Amino acid sequence: MPELKIELTKNPKPKPTDETKLGFGHVFTDHMFVMDYETGKGWYNPRIVPHGPIQLDPAAMVLHYGQEIFEGLKAYRTPSGKIQLFRPWDNFKRMNISNERLVIPPIDEEFALQCLVKLIEIEKDWVPHTDGASLYIRPFIFACDPYLGVRPGDKYMFMIILSPSGAYYSTGLNPVGIRVESKYVRAVKGGMGFAKTGGNYASSLIGQHEAHKENYAQVLWLDGVEKKYIEEVGSMNIFFVIGDEVVTPELQGSILDGITRRSAIQLCRSWGLKVSERRISIDEIADAYKNGSLKEVFGTGTAAVISPVGHLKWDDMVMEINNNKIGEISQRLYDTLTGIQYGKLPDEFGWTMEVK
Ligand code: COI
C-alpha cells in the first residue's frame, strides 16, 4: 500500500457561522485527497493537501470526452459529538462498478476508505453540528492525459473533496414538484445509466432546465425506448406507495443502484411492508392517481435523503400527491434513516462506521 502523505494548510478558512444557511455544495473544507494513476505504474502518490485549484492541460481527456465517475456520501455528527459515515464501503464498491463501465482502472476500495477516514479526521471540525446538515463527501476520478484521440486515458486523478451542506432542495423536507419528461431521455439499457458518471447528469440538464421554467424542481425520466416506464429522477431514485404496496423501478441497467434506495427498501421490508422492485408505467401511476390508490411518492438519494413529491406533472395532467403533504411512510423513512445516520437511533443493520 503506498504511503499517504499529508500537507496541512497554513491558511485555514473560517468555518461557516450559520449552519442553517449552508445550502448544498457551496462551501468546501481546507483539505482534499488526491492520488494519481499512470498505465504501467498503477495508482501512486496518495496525498492530503490544501483544497484548491488543480493544474490540468487544456487537452486533458476528461474535458473532451467526459471520461469520469463520481460518488456522493456523507459524514454525520452524533449527539455525543462523534462522527460517523453511512455505508461508505458501498460507495467505494459502486465507484469500481462505474470505473469498469467507463474503462477507468479500479481503485483499492479499502485503501480509499482509509484515506477518506484520515481526511475526515483532519477536517473533523468541519462536520456540521446542526440537525439536517452534514459533511457531503465527493470522491471522483477523471482522465487527465493531454490527448485528443478517443480512447481510454493512460493517466487519471482520484480526488475527494468535502462540502459541509444542508438540504439538497431549498424546500427541505417540504414536498417537491416533479415534471415527467416526455421528450428527452436520460439513458438506455446498455448505456451508462447505472454508472455514476457526469455524462448522465449532463444529458439530464435540458429536461431540468425546461422543468424549472414551469416551476418544477426536477425531472422524472421515462425509459429511453418506449418513453413509457418510470426510471429515476437523476438526483434520486423514485418510490410510489400504491394501495398497500411500496413500488420502485427494478434495476435493469439504466438507473442508479442507489444506496439510499437500498436502505429504504430494507427498512420498509423490516417493517413488514410489501415492497416490489418492478416495471412501473407512467399510465399505471396516472390510473392509480385517478382511482385514489396513489398514496405517496418520494425520492431517495444521498443528497436528497427522503424527498416527498407533492406534485407530479405528466403532459397536461397534474397529480397532487397526498394533498402536497409528506406521507406516513416517507416521514417514517426520513425519521428512521436520519435517526440512524445521525446516531440517534440504534443501527440494527450495521450501516454506520465511526470515524475518530
Ligand atoms: C448524491 O445524492 O450524492 C448525488 O450524487 C446526486 C447529486 C445530483 C447531488
Side-chain angles (χ1 to χ4, degrees), residues 28-323:
F28 299 96
T29 67
D30 286 321
H31 299 90
M32 60 188 185
F33 169 77
V34 191
M35 181 158 66
D36 302 305
Y37 178 93
E38 230 180 284
T39 300
K41 208 165 165 182
W43 288 107
Y44 68 99
N45 195 16
R47 55 206 185 273
I48 289 172
V49 293
H51 179 106
I54 51 168
Q55 267 211 329
L56 210 54
D57 194 287
M61 294 176 80
V62 66
L63 300 178
H64 303 271
Y65 308 121
Q67 195 192 5
E68 79 89 43
I69 60 100
F70 71 94
E71 269 302 326
L73 65 160
K74 287 174 174 172
Y76 307 84
R77 192 172 294 279
T78 70
S80 63
K82 287 188 183 147
I83 295 166
Q84 59 185 28
L85 298 167
F86 184 74
R87 306 185 78 165
W89 36 83
D90 289 1
N91 290 90
F92 288 115
K93 194 168 173 193
R94 190 172 62 186
M95 203 163 191
N96 271 337
I97 292 171
S98 302
N99 279 339
E100 189 181 2
R101 178 62 180 81
L102 273 287
V103 200
I104 292 174
I107 53 156
D108 179 329
E109 295 165 27
E110 240 178 81
F111 181 64
L113 182 52
Q114 279 170 26
C115 295
L116 170 62
V117 167
K118 189 70 211 168
L119 180 63
I120 291 178
E121 280 171 15
I122 292 172
E123 302 291 60
K124 61 181 187 312
D125 294 340
W126 283 92
V127 180
H129 294 75
T130 306
D131 248 8
S134 56
L135 187 69
Y136 185 76
I137 301 163
R138 173 52 62 84
F140 57 108
I141 302 178
F142 56 91
C144 57
D145 17 351
Y147 177 60
L148 294 182
V150 178
R151 60 152 171 80
D154 273 324
K155 291 184 177 167
Y156 296 88
M157 286 177 87
F158 172 14
M159 304 183 69
I160 306 177
I161 55 173
L162 306 175
S163 174
S165 290
Y168 185 68
Y169 297 112
S170 53
T171 48
L173 196 54
N174 293 323
V176 288
I178 289 194
R179 179 176 174 269
V180 180
E181 177 56 63
S182 307
K183 182 173 168 194
Y184 304 107
V185 298
R186 172 189 170 272
V188 289
K189 275 183 214 168
M192 313 190 292
F194 67 90
K196 215 157 167 58
T197 178
N200 289 328
Y201 296 78
S203 102
S204 76
L205 292 177
I206 190 161
Q208 183 177 317
H209 180 66
E210 295 191 357
H212 282 179
K213 285 194 222 158
E214 293 181 35
N215 277 329
Y216 285 88
Q218 291 286 320
V219 174
L220 180 59
W221 296 99
L222 299 179
D223 75 276
V225 178
E226 294 179 71
K227 292 200 197 117
K228 181 174 173 177
Y229 296 101
I230 289 166
E231 299 244 303
E232 59 155 80
V233 174
S235 53
M236 52 189 196
N237 293 107
I238 191 88
F239 285 72
F240 302 89
V241 182
I242 305 174
D244 60 1
E245 185 190 15
V246 180
V247 197
T248 192
E250 66 194 336
L251 302 174
Q252 28 58 337
S254 59
I255 69 172
L256 188 79
D257 179 3
I259 292 161
T260 314
R261 173 188 180 278
R262 250 182 255 166
S263 310
I265 292 172
Q266 258 176 284
L267 282 174
C268 286
R269 288 198 173 131
S270 76
W271 299 332
L273 297 172
K274 180 182 174 206
V275 184
S276 310
E277 297 175 70
R278 62 169 174 83
R279 276 211 317 188
I280 317 155
S281 69
I282 184 65
D283 304 273
E284 177 183 346
I285 296 303
D287 288 346
Y289 175 74
K290 284 184 215 148
N291 71 29
S293 60
L294 180 62
K295 293 184 180 159
E296 295 182 42
V297 181
F298 58 90
T300 61
T302 297
V305 195
I306 301 293
S307 188
V309 177
H311 289 97
L312 198 56
K313 180 174 190 279
W314 178 41
D315 293 337
D316 293 332
M317 182 178 184
V318 177
M319 302 174 232
E320 188 181 61
I321 318 294
N322 195 38
N323 299 317

